Amino acid sequence: MTALKGFWAEVSRNKIMFLMVAPAILFFIVFSYIPMVGIYLAFTKFSFDGGIFGSEFIGMMNFKFLYQSGTLWNLTKNTVVYNLAFIFIGNFLQLVCAIFLSQIANKYFKKATQSIMFLPFFISWVLVGAFVFNLFNSDTGVINTLLKQLGAQPYDFYLNTEPWKYIIVFFNVWKGLGYGTVIYLAAIMSISDEYYEAAEIDGAHIFQQIRHITIPLLTPTFILLVIFSLGGILKGQFDLFYQIIGNNGMLYDATDIIDTYVYRALAVNFDIGMGSAAGLYQSFFGFLLVMTVNFIVKKVREDYALF
């Protein structure tokens, strides 16, 4: 009771502040917490006649089917491996590009380069998918057209899974490179010039300054972005995979992720219970991963942790 009185006293003292955060709180209640009721669907054999709570309750059967069919392992492996590649390759290249850009003296060239790098971020995945198809399709694709003109045998990309591992990672990194570079560049710009001036007086050349000043001071930003990214490691880039791969079953073994499986379960197979089970598994293990990584980071370097 005392705690409740204290809460209302705090609200009374800071009415304006609470009014400012009210829309955000309402947003999360309506769009994040109320829909959590749908978790129940993962434990049912959903029927449209029965609805959410009138459908047959089957316990863990949906999860058991996913596990025994081998689907869950392949989906998890693909989702995790692709996201790890996106996170670490993407962040590494963004960091490198930001460091190089920060050393460019010509401000007009720097701004032009930033704008050019940032442009792919605003391109729709639909357009990227159309570009990829026109690049790799077996009949009129640019690559196969060149191979035919050179007298070589055309290569059917859409029947072979191996190249797509690299194609998908490349386009994801390419699209997000400019956005991530701007974040790291902003962090570099916040570093005091006094550090570099002192290093120059001590005779440190540019690469020594980058190694001993820029990179150590960017480490907290790097770790923070990686932890945030790891939170969604079981949430794949649905737009990326769907627009590039589509419903090509020949490539599912190497390119199918949890998001695309859930989409097919709901929109194609109308198996809402199975799709909900896969989605719940995705969210639960994503939460555990964030907590685990944050715990490890906190033990190693407490000031780098999220909480």
Side-chain angles (χ1 to χ4, degrees):
M1 191 68 179
T2 305
L4 188 60
K5 286 182 179 179
F7 171 75
W8 287 114
E10 184 69 23
V11 171
S12 179
R13 284 195 301 269
N14 300 283
K15 293 177 183 177
I16 302 301
M17 299 295 290
F18 277 95
L19 282 173
M20 290 174 66
V21 300
I25 294 172
L26 184 63
F27 173 86
F28 283 107
I29 290 173
V30 173
F31 295 103
S32 296
Y33 288 98
I34 292 177
M36 288 179 68
V37 175
I39 289 174
Y40 179 74
L41 290 171
F43 305 96
T44 66
K45 186 176 182 181
F46 182 80
S47 66
F48 290 96
D49 292 334
I52 295 179
F53 299 107
S55 299
E56 180 187 355
F57 181 81
I58 58 174
M60 301 295 290
M61 291 302 295
N62 287 324
F63 297 94
K64 183 179 179 181
F65 176 80
L66 283 171
Y67 175 76
Q68 291 181 342
S69 65
T71 304
L72 197 61
W73 162 246
N74 189 57
L75 293 173
T76 304
K77 179 193 70 173
N78 287 344
T79 306
V80 170
V81 171
Y82 276 117
N83 275 296
L84 286 175
F86 296 160
I87 292 168
F88 288 102
I89 295 175
N91 276 280
F92 174 75
L93 291 178
Q94 290 161 12
L95 182 61
V96 170
C97 288
I99 291 172
F100 280 130
L101 278 176
S102 68
Q103 300 302 320
I104 296 175
N106 190 314
K107 65 178 182 179
Y108 298 107
F109 180 77
K110 181 187 291 188
K111 288 181 179 180
T113 304
Q114 282 181 250
S115 300
I116 293 169
M117 291 176 64
F118 213 142
L119 184 61
F121 180 75
F122 298 102
I123 298 175
S124 166
W125 279 117
V126 177
L127 293 178
V128 175
F131 174 76
V132 170
F133 180 76
N134 283 284
L135 195 62
F136 295 110
N137 81 79
S138 57
D139 298 322
T140 57
V142 173
I143 292 177
N144 278 310
T145 300
L146 288 174
L147 288 175
K148 291 173 185 177
Q149 290 179 349
L150 293 171
Q153 288 294 322
Y155 182 84
D156 198 334
F157 286 92
Y158 287 93
L159 291 179
N160 296 279
T161 59
E162 191 63 29
W164 292 99
K165 302 172 185 177
Y166 309 101
I167 293 170
I168 287 172
V169 172
F170 171 80
F171 278 100
N172 181 271
V173 172
W174 165 77
K175 197 170 186 297
L177 184 63
Y179 180 82
T181 298
V182 169
I183 295 175
Y184 283 113
L185 192 58
I188 292 173
M189 294 297 103
S190 67
I191 299 173
S192 175
D193 292 335
E194 294 178 359
Y195 292 111
Y196 297 103
E197 290 168 1
E200 287 180 6
I201 293 171
D202 289 338
H205 55 69
I206 188 65
F207 293 107
Q208 289 174 326
Q209 293 176 31
I210 291 171
R211 178 183 175 186
H212 297 288
I213 299 174
T214 308
I215 293 178
L217 291 176
L218 283 180
T219 301
T221 303
F222 179 84
I223 293 175
L224 190 65
L225 290 175
V226 168
I227 292 176
F228 276 131
S229 300
L230 287 174
I233 198 170
L234 285 179
K235 290 186 179 293
Q237 297 277 354
F238 173 77
D239 291 345
L240 162 66
F241 285 87
Y242 184 73
Q243 295 300 334
I244 290 181
I245 303 301
N247 292 318
N248 188 343
M250 298 296 295
L251 305 179
Y252 283 166
D253 186 55
T255 63
D256 203 17
I257 60 173
I258 296 175
D259 293 78
T260 52
Y261 177 84
V262 170
Y263 168 77
R264 289 199 310 277
L266 297 176
V268 179
N269 302 325
F270 298 104
D271 195 340
I272 294 176
M274 196 69 68
S276 300
L280 179 58
Y281 163 81
Q282 180 185 42
S283 300
F284 178 72
F285 279 93
F287 169 75
L288 287 182
L289 186 63
V290 172
M291 299 299 291
T292 303
V293 172
N294 186 75
F295 177 79
I296 294 170
V297 171
K298 193 172 184 177
K299 288 292 184 183
V300 177
R301 189 73 178 268
E302 188 173 355
D303 54 329
Y304 289 176
L306 286 175
F307 46 84

